[in-house]
């Protein structure tokens, strides 16, 4: 098992909180985490794995930090 | 004449005269209006090397062809002058309701010349234009000026400077509708130098439309796109621009402590989510804006005021290591009241804190002010802002901006500026394309005239690798030209969260006539950017000024996800000049000027060696 910190932002926090520490099977992908959280992959416009863009098929490692954002913008 | 009103006001404050001149429609269309029009006037009418705060400088307020037209986000106007902060062209944009109401007086622009002997304000009600005594409002804060003039003149819109502009702070803003700012470049000081306190407008004219039915149809279509866009219709109205705090921080490009750090674990305390949860009273919208990104917040004492933008939350927040929303809201209010640019004001306090940290500023320098320059002192950011607005004590030094301050202490490298203007809220070491915008921006350090954060972090209109250099120069150029178009036609740059080049062509042509297509409209933006560059070259601001603070080029990021990276300007800049059709010294070639219809300005190329 691995431990991954998932940080949620904007309306992704509704019903999910700001942060979840998830215990996952080794080999779990980012997409599978989205599914566990009931977040549509189309809605997850910005997915950061340890601060860098994370491809959805990427397998997570122990202590990874996943930051999930719906579409946001400003300036 | 469609889109344009066809009349320009020329107000000579030395002579006390008001003239109405016809707008040359050909010039109007070629330079689009607003920003493009103002730059052209500055180039044609103002001699080289004037002191920005002298009566030789001109101060232009201009609207675009779409300002006030029934299309979305058409509430914008522009202030154009020579900047007392940077010595470059100053182009400062603002929304709210003043711009469309000014245009409704039947004028496209005002060119202010000279300097009034005594404080005056201008009253414009359609064709009636009066230069009035301003002695009763001189020295007053923005809310006081606005209330007094609204009481005197009824249903008017007020543009004004605060005490900071009167006292010639080169980081002073021009304010309108209480809390909207044409913020950057010290444009408020130019207005102050002319003894011009306010411009009050009340208009009854409508913008003439080339095709009324088509305008209506096009407008409905664009409003629909904006409402359905997840950012323009979702994230921005829900959380305001401060929704960026967390994403920029999670990406490791949120500058902390004057760019000494690039990440903080306290960011959520000052995020858009937290503002919404704890401080937001309601949203606010500019004229004809379906986005409504504006915030109205409650201060600690319950007072309800205009809330801060992302940039302000950063400059007073993470940049000063302050994570106290009440203090940030209060500092933002003081900037609005005294008429200060929130980016430069907050970032200058941050620079002063680093100068203090490193022992340049001594305790005795600030002993009489009763305020600290310690990182994270929430009380201090509020106190210093007030002193900057009034130019009291050490606040007088801070009101000069961070470059003059840091240089006076022998440490100009601690001023995080480009062309002496404070950089905004993104560390370019982690967003390489955005660093190009910082370095080459014609108005000095600025994010908004080519917002590469969109593709590099937010994924608009597509996602680029933020650390890659490949293709970034060409991308930045396109963004620079497109933003020049958006500014110059008179709509809001936030509409790009949904709209693209063809949408602006649709709107312009429906309102003004079938004049532009995608290619030629973008080329008009390129023409405007090049003319601004020529203005700067004429003023001696050549490409040796296209640089970034040493810290960003030589000191790798020390923390967060971008750790270890520097900005690679040396590789990006030559490529940018090349895609611009400029030579290796960053000077436009004759062929480029010919291609853009700027032949008449070839003489300035000779000056720029």
């Amino acid at each position: 098992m691995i431990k991954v910190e998932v940080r949620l932002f904007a309306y992704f926090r509704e019903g999910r909180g700001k942060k979840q520490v998830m215990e996952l099977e080794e080999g779990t992908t980012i997409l599978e985490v989205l599914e566990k959280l009931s977040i549509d992959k189309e809605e997850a416009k910005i997915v950061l794995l340890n601060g860098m863009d994370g491809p959805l098929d990427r397998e997570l490692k122990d202590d990874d930090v996943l930051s999930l954002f719906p579409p946001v913008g400003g300036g | 004449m469609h889109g344009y009103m066809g009349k320009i006001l020329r107000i000579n404050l030395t002579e006390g005269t008001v003239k109405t001149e016809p707008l040359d429609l050909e010039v109007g269309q070629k330079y689009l209006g607003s920003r493009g029009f103002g730059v052209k006037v500055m180039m044609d009418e103002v001699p080289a090397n004037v002191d920005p705060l002298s009566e030789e400088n001109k101060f232009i307020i201009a609207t675009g062809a779409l300002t006030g037209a029934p299309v979305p986000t058409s509430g914008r106007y522009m202030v154009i002058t020579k900047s007392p902060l940077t010595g470059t062209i100053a182009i400062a944009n603002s929304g709210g309701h003043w711009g469309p109401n000014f245009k409704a007086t039947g004028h496209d622009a005002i060119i202010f010349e000279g300097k009034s002997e005594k404080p005056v304000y201008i009253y414009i009600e359609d064709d009636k234009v009066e230069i009035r005594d301003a002695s009763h409002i001189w020295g007053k804060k923005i809310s006081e000026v606005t209330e007094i003039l609204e009481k005197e003149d009824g249903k008017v819109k007020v543009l004004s400077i605060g005490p900071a502009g009167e006292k010639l702070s080169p980081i002073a803003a021009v304010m309108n509708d209480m809390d909207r700012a044409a913020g950057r470049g010290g444009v408020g000081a130019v207005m102050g130098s002319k003894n011009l306190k306010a411009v009050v407008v009340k208009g009854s004219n409508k913008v003439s439309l080339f095709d009324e039915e088509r305008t209506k149809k096009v407008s409905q279509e664009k409003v629909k796109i904006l409402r359905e866009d997840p950012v323009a219709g979702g994230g921005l109205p829900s959380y305001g621009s401060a929704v960026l705090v967390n994403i920029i921080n999670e990406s490791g490009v949120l500058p902390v402590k004057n760019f000494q750090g690039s990440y903080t674990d306290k960011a959520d305390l000052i995020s858009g989510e937290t503002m919404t949860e704890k401080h937001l009273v309601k949203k606010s919208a500019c004229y004809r804006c379906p986005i409504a990104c504006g915030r109205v917040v409650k201060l600690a004492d319950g007072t309800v005021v205009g809330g801060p933008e992302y940039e302000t939350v950063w400059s007073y927040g993470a940049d000063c290591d302050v994570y106290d929303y009440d203090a940030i809201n209060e500092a933002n209010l003081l900037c609005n009241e005294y008429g200060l640019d929130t980016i430069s004001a907050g970032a200058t306090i941050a620079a002063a804190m680093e100068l203090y940290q490193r022992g340049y500023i001594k305790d005795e320098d600030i002993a009489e002010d009763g305020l600290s320059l310690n990182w994270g002192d929430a009380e201090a950011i509020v106190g210093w802002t007030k002193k900057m607005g009034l130019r009291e004590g050490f606040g007088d030094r801070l009101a000069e901006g961070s470059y003059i301050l840091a240089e006076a202490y022998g440490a100009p490298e601690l001023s995080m500026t480009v062309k002496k203007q404070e950089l905004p809220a993104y560390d370019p070491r982690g967003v390489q394309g955005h660093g190009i915008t910082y370095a080459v921006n014609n108005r000095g350090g600025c994010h908004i005239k080519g917002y590469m954060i969109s593709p590099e972090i937010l994924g608009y209109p597509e996602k680029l690798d933020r650390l890659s250099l490949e293709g970034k120069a060409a991308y930045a150029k396109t963004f620079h030209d497109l933003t020049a178009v958006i500014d110059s036609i008179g709509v809001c740059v936030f509409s790009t969260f949904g709209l693209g080049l063809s949408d602006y062509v649709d709107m312009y042509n429906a309102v003004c006539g079938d004049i532009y297509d995608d290619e030629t409209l973008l080329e008009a933006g390129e023409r405007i950017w090049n003319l601004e560059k020529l203005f700067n070259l004429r003023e001696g601001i050549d490409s040796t000024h296209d640089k970034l603070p040493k810290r960003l080029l030589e000191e790798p990021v020390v923390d967060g996800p971008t750790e270890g990276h520097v900005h690679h300007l040396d590789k990006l800049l030559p490529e940018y000049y090349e895609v611009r059709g400029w030579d290796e010294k960053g000077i436009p070639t004759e062929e480029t000027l010919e291609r853009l219809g700027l032949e008449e300005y070839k003489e300035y190329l000779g000056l720029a060696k």
Side-chain angles (χ1 to χ4, degrees), chain B residues 34 50 98 187 198 259 266 277 281 288 290 439 521-522 537:
Chain B
S34 192
V50 301
W98 188 90
V187 291
F259 290 74
K266 303 191 192 79
E277 192 190 330
V281 175
R288 279 190 188 277
L521 189 64
L522 193 61
L537 288 170

Side-chain angles (χ1 to χ4, degrees), chain B residues 14-72:
Chain B
T14 307
E15 310 286 335
T17 55
V18 178
K19 274 192 240 165
T20 305
E21 298 173 1
L23 170 77
D24 181 338
L25 184 61
E26 207 178 307
V27 169
Q29 290 174 348
K30 183 171 174 180
Y31 293 92
L32 301 177
S34 192
R35 174 173 159 185
F37 170 83
V39 175
K40 166 102 177 126
V41 172
M42 288 300 295
M43 199 64 179
D44 293 351
E45 297 190 7
V46 178
N49 302 314
V50 301
D51 174 350
L53 298 180
S54 70
E55 58 186 287
E56 284 77 38
N57 195 9
K58 295 195 184 187
F59 179 82
I60 300 159
I61 302 177
T63 60
L66 299 188
T67 306
V71 294

Side-chain angles (χ1 to χ4, degrees), chain B residues 579-593:
Chain B
V579 295
R580 271 252 167 258
W582 298 353
D583 68 16
E584 68 280 3
K585 285 185 175 164
I587 297 167
T589 61
E590 281 195 30
E591 297 74 51
T592 298
L593 294 196

Side-chain angles (χ1 to χ4, degrees), chain B residues 223-236:
Chain B
V223 168
K224 188 165 181 284
I225 295 172
L226 289 169
R227 285 198 198 285
E228 288 174 2
D229 182 88
V231 170
L236 263 176

Side-chain angles (χ1 to χ4, degrees), chain A residues 5 7-14 18 42-43 45-54 65-75, chain B residues 230-231 235-236 239-241 243-244 246-247 250-251 263 268 273 310-311 426 447-448 451 457-460 463-464 466-467 494 497 561:
Chain A
E5 180 179 322
R7 299 175 186 170
L8 297 139
F9 299 97
Y11 66 80
F12 282 172
R13 289 179 172 181
E14 288 165 19
K18 292 180 183 179
E42 302 300 319
E43 264 185 282
K45 174 100 174 175
I46 302 164
V47 175
L48 302 179
L49 178 60
N50 304 320
M52 302 303 289
D53 289 323
V65 176
L66 196 58
S67 308
L68 304 177
F69 296 82
V72 291
Chain B
V231 170
L236 263 176
Y239 301 102
S241 58
V243 73
L244 286 180
N246 277 324
I247 171 69
E250 288 295 303
S251 300
Y263 176 83
D268 201 43
E273 290 92 327
Y310 166 65
E311 299 296 335
Y426 318 86
H447 63 297
I448 204 74
Y451 192 59
I457 289 188
L458 307 174
Y460 270 79
K463 189 77 186 231
L464 304 180
R466 63 189 174 88
L467 293 173
F494 277 11
F497 293 113

Side-chain angles (χ1 to χ4, degrees), chain B residues 221-374:
Chain B
E221 182 188 305
K222 309 311 174 197
V223 168
K224 188 165 181 284
I225 295 172
L226 289 169
R227 285 198 198 285
E228 288 174 2
D229 182 88
V231 170
L236 263 176
S238 297
Y239 301 102
S241 58
V243 73
L244 286 180
V245 171
N246 277 324
I247 171 69
I248 299 302
N249 185 57
E250 288 295 303
S251 300
V253 292
L254 185 74
V256 177
K257 295 188 2 183
N258 202 34
F259 290 74
Q260 293 185 86
S262 308
Y263 176 83
T264 168
D265 58 10
K266 303 191 192 79
D268 201 43
L269 294 169
I270 55 168
S271 67
E273 290 92 327
T274 299
M275 190 200 296
T276 307
E277 192 190 330
K278 297 193 173 151
H279 305 275
L280 185 70
V281 175
K282 59 178 183 176
K283 299 180 276 186
S284 70
C286 298
Y287 180 82
R288 279 190 188 277
C289 181
I291 305 173
C293 70
R295 304 289 96 176
V296 176
V297 297
K298 199 181 269 184
L299 299 179
D301 67 2
T303 317
V304 174
V305 298
E309 299 287 343
Y310 166 65
E311 299 296 335
T312 315
V313 168
W314 162 77
S315 69
Y316 278 101
D319 205 31
C320 292
D321 210 25
V322 168
Y323 303 94
D324 177 332
Y325 241 130
D326 287 322
I328 293 168
N329 288 336
E330 181 83 29
N332 180 61
L333 173 67
L334 290 173
C335 283
N336 290 344
E337 285 287 26
Y338 290 97
L340 283 164
D341 171 27
T342 60
I343 297 178
S344 285
T348 298
I349 295 173
M353 286 176 166
E354 187 174 356
L355 286 164
Y356 179 74
Q357 170 200 328
R358 296 188 186 280
Y360 292 100
I361 298 177
K362 310 264 188 244
D363 283 323
E364 56 261 36
D365 297 344
I366 52 173
E368 283 173 25
D369 290 287
L371 293 166
S372 92
L373 280 172
N374 294 324

Side-chain angles (χ1 to χ4, degrees), chain A residues 1-4 21-28 36 60-64:
Chain A
M1 295 293 275
I2 55 166
K3 237 186 228 177
V4 171
V21 177
M22 298 174 88
E23 291 216 15
L24 303 165
E25 297 280 341
E26 290 209 19
T28 304
K36 279 182 197 291
L60 293 162
K61 293 197 295 286
D62 202 26
D63 290 334
D64 273 346

